Amino acid sequence: MAQWTSAVGAAQLARQLQAQQQKPIGPGTRRPPAYRALADGIRLLVLEGRVPVAARLPAERELALGLSVSRTTVAAAYEALRAEGFLESRRGAGSWTAVPAGNPLPARGLEPLPPESLGSMIDLGCASLPAPEPWLTRAVQGALEELPPYAHTHGDYPAGLPALRQMIADRYTERGIATMPEQIMVTTGAMGAIDAICHLFAGRGERIAVESPSYANILQLMREAGARLVPVAMEEGIGGWDMNRWRHVLRDAAPRLAYVVADFHNPTGALADENQRRALVDAARSAGTVLVVDETMNELHLDDDVEMPRRVCAFDPAGSTVLTVGSASKAFWAGMRIGWVRAAPDVIRSLVSARAYADMGTPVLEQLAINWLMRTGGWEEAVEIRRGQARENRDALVAAVRRELPGWEFEVPRGGLTLWVRTGGLSGSRLAVAGERVGVRVPSGPRFGVDGAFEGYVRLPFTVGGPVADEAAVRLAAAARLVGSGASAGAEAPRTFVA
């Protein structure tokens, strides 16, 4: 990378490095030289995503003062990082973090398995559950009954069926966010919505601020659109957004767009509170950044005592800053590719006009099915089934991983579909490869970061439960043993499992 896109202050970096040093060192273990310990600490922060890739580091003198070490120690650490490919420097521009060449992002792990592989492979790649029957069948039957009048038209509705646009607008209004149907565009899933937004607002080379980690498929979509991604590290665990970091990035990098998942974040499961939501909208408005809020997990609160904060667009009454993206894929079924954008009417008109050169519109039958669900109350009952499935799977998976892999660390989210797991120092990329050899498919952490961050993580979705969750954890433990021993990933053959 030729230039830095964010900066890390000396005090902030010193705090993160000192927190690492609080971990005890085992008996008989020799401490490395001070410069080596400092270099290793910075490298670990980059690989775990706590310090973004392409972040400018403090000058040698500033960091030396912050850590109370000699400038020589910092200079030697920076030189070691440069030699290893974790730091780049240019006279007059300073030094910024990097990931060595030859460490590409893993390309596998999120695409659905073909049906013929499901008997021998446990798929933890996709955070999607089976359809909540009988509501899928009922919705399609209801849609077929309402289809004849539409069959007499051309069938092209670039903004979406008027009835569904009105229904979605009414649902926002019922939640205290006054919305007109002119503020809604129905899309082909949330991915279609965000793709349209990126093409309208962020041309090739534009900066887009993203959470670090973030949803892998969206990151890839933005890369392919030619965007320059500016990562903003999340708070530890499920603490949500670090607002100091967001303010600094929005002010210093001035990104055209910012993409966030406020509700049960994918992959960490974090739920942003109202203060964080209000502060982020204010910061984005001040910076002139358009804030794209992904609400696809909004209705998947799994614990009864979860109190959901107001939606992010509630803090943008003028509608000038926040674009909201919703979808039926997570709350209902991934096979129902219906999404939507809520924005100011002029933005919706621009999105609709640009759509004429893309997919023209969303299939009518699927729109009628979702409209039928929302109109009849079937949506709420189907979502309740989905919550029950995800809750049972979450609890089973958490228990199985804690039993089979006690050294792995995670916090249990109160909603959503994913568990973000620190793998006890093992490479997530190697675990993904070894996992496929022993019969479990899992996406590695770097899929969810920018330029190779989060090597020490994997994402586990709540898509399996009961005996299948137990077996998945057993196979993950087998993969961990292979990676930990340095043995070939092919040393252990996959086992067939019948649910």
Side-chain angles (χ1 to χ4, degrees):
M1 188 164 301
Q3 185 59 276
W4 57 274
T5 57
S6 62
V8 180
Q12 175 189 345
L13 184 56
R15 285 194 301 271
Q16 291 176 292
L17 290 166
Q18 288 162 357
Q20 287 181 342
Q21 295 172 3
Q22 294 173 4
K23 298 177 181 179
I25 296 178
T29 302
R30 296 180 59 185
R31 288 184 178 273
Y35 85 90
R36 183 71 262 172
L38 176 55
D40 289 347
I42 294 174
R43 176 172 52 83
L44 182 61
L45 289 173
V46 172
L47 289 175
E48 289 187 343
R50 309 270 40 101
V51 169
V53 175
R56 189 178 66 171
L57 294 185
E60 295 171 2
R61 187 184 304 277
E62 293 175 2
L63 186 56
L65 288 172
L67 292 172
S68 299
V69 299
S70 71
R71 183 177 177 181
T72 302
T73 297
V74 177
Y78 278 15
E79 182 58 37
L81 289 168
R82 276 190 289 270
E84 296 163 4
F86 285 94
L87 197 68
E88 295 181 11
S89 303
R90 190 171 68 236
R91 185 178 297 277
S95 299
W96 57 92
T97 55
V99 170
N103 289 343
L105 289 169
R108 298 175 297 171
L110 294 180
E111 301 81 5
L113 279 173
E116 61 269 18
S117 301
L118 295 177
S120 59
M121 184 76 70
I122 298 176
D123 187 7
L124 298 181
C126 295
S128 299
L129 289 163
E133 288 287 28
W135 290 105
L136 174 61
T137 299
R138 292 181 182 177
V140 173
Q141 291 171 342
L144 286 172
E145 293 176 1
E146 297 176 4
L147 182 61
Y150 295 92
H152 294 292
T153 73
H154 51 63
D156 287 335
Y157 296 89
L161 292 185
L164 182 56
R165 296 176 73 195
Q166 182 70 62
M167 180 63 65
I168 295 170
D170 289 346
R171 290 173 67 83
Y172 278 104
T173 300
E174 289 167 4
R175 287 158 177 78
I177 305 166
T179 304
M180 304 179 295
E182 291 80 7
Q183 291 177 261
I184 302 295
M185 181 177 84
V186 181
T187 62
T188 307
M191 291 287 288
I194 294 170
D195 182 60
I197 290 169
C198 288
H199 279 90
L200 181 63
F201 284 93
R204 185 166 294 275
E206 291 275 8
R207 290 176 175 173
I208 302 179
V210 295
E211 297 150 325
S212 183
S214 187
Y215 179 35
N217 288 338
I218 294 297
L219 295 181
Q220 188 59 30
L221 181 156
M222 292 175 175
R223 290 188 190 99
E224 293 182 359
R228 298 173 60 190
L229 301 185
V230 183
V232 187
M234 301 280 286
E235 289 189 352
E236 291 286 350
I238 54 176
W241 300 327
D242 185 324
M243 284 312 307
N244 286 330
R245 287 175 174 166
W246 271 106
R247 291 187 189 95
H248 291 154
V249 167
L250 293 178
R251 182 191 64 209
D252 297 341
R256 184 71 181 92
L257 290 179
Y259 168 77
V260 296
V261 184
D263 305 308
F264 309 117
H265 175 261
N266 185 354
T268 69
L271 177 64
D273 62 34
E274 287 207 358
N275 289 334
Q276 291 172 326
R277 295 169 188 237
R278 181 185 294 106
L280 185 56
V281 172
D282 290 344
R285 184 183 297 115
S286 297
T289 297
V290 176
L291 188 60
V292 182
V293 181
D294 186 334
E295 288 189 340
T296 53
M297 298 283 189
N298 176 267
E299 298 191 62
L300 292 179
H301 45 89
L302 305 184
D303 296 332
D304 293 337
D305 59 344
V306 174
E307 185 174 341
M308 291 298 294
R310 284 179 289 172
R311 299 190 179 201
V312 178
C313 57
F315 301 99
D316 180 39
S320 59
T321 299
V322 177
L323 306 183
T324 302
V325 172
S327 172
S329 297
K330 299 299 185 185
F332 184 69
W333 185 47
M336 190 69 74
R337 305 303 304 164
I338 299 295
W340 54 86
V341 179
R342 180 196 180 275
D346 62 320
V347 173
I348 294 297
R349 286 193 294 270
S350 297
L351 288 169
V352 171
S353 297
R355 190 177 195 179
Y357 307 100
D359 65 353
M360 295 295 292
T362 304
V364 171
L365 188 64
E366 284 86 340
Q367 293 187 73
L368 288 173
I370 294 300
N371 188 60
W372 183 91
L373 281 168
M374 291 180 173
R375 190 183 72 247
T376 63
W379 177 269
E380 283 70 24
E381 296 198 37
V383 170
E384 192 57 42
I385 293 173
R386 169 67 76 241
R387 291 191 191 111
Q389 291 173 323
R391 184 185 306 112
E392 291 179 6
N393 290 352
R394 178 197 64 179
D395 296 346
L397 186 64
V398 164
V401 172
R402 282 177 171 165
R403 181 178 63 250
E404 300 294 336
L405 293 150
W408 287 17
E409 303 172 32
F410 55 85
E411 290 190 42
V412 182
R414 319 237 6 232
L417 291 171
T418 57
L419 194 66
W420 186 237
V421 182
R422 192 196 301 260
T423 56
L426 298 178
S427 163
S429 298
R430 292 177 182 173
L431 280 167
V433 174
E436 294 206 19
R437 297 294 185 182
V438 300
V440 60
R441 199 175 195 219
V442 58
S444 62
R447 290 282 293 162
F448 304 89
V450 175
D451 293 331
F454 303 107
E455 184 58 60
Y457 289 80
V458 294
R459 188 196 73 173
L460 305 180
F462 310 147
T463 52
V464 297
V468 186
D470 293 337
E471 179 65 12
V474 168
R475 296 187 187 187
L476 283 171
R481 288 193 296 271
L482 289 175
V483 173
S485 67
S488 168
E492 194 168 334
R495 292 177 288 167
T496 301
F497 180 76
V498 180

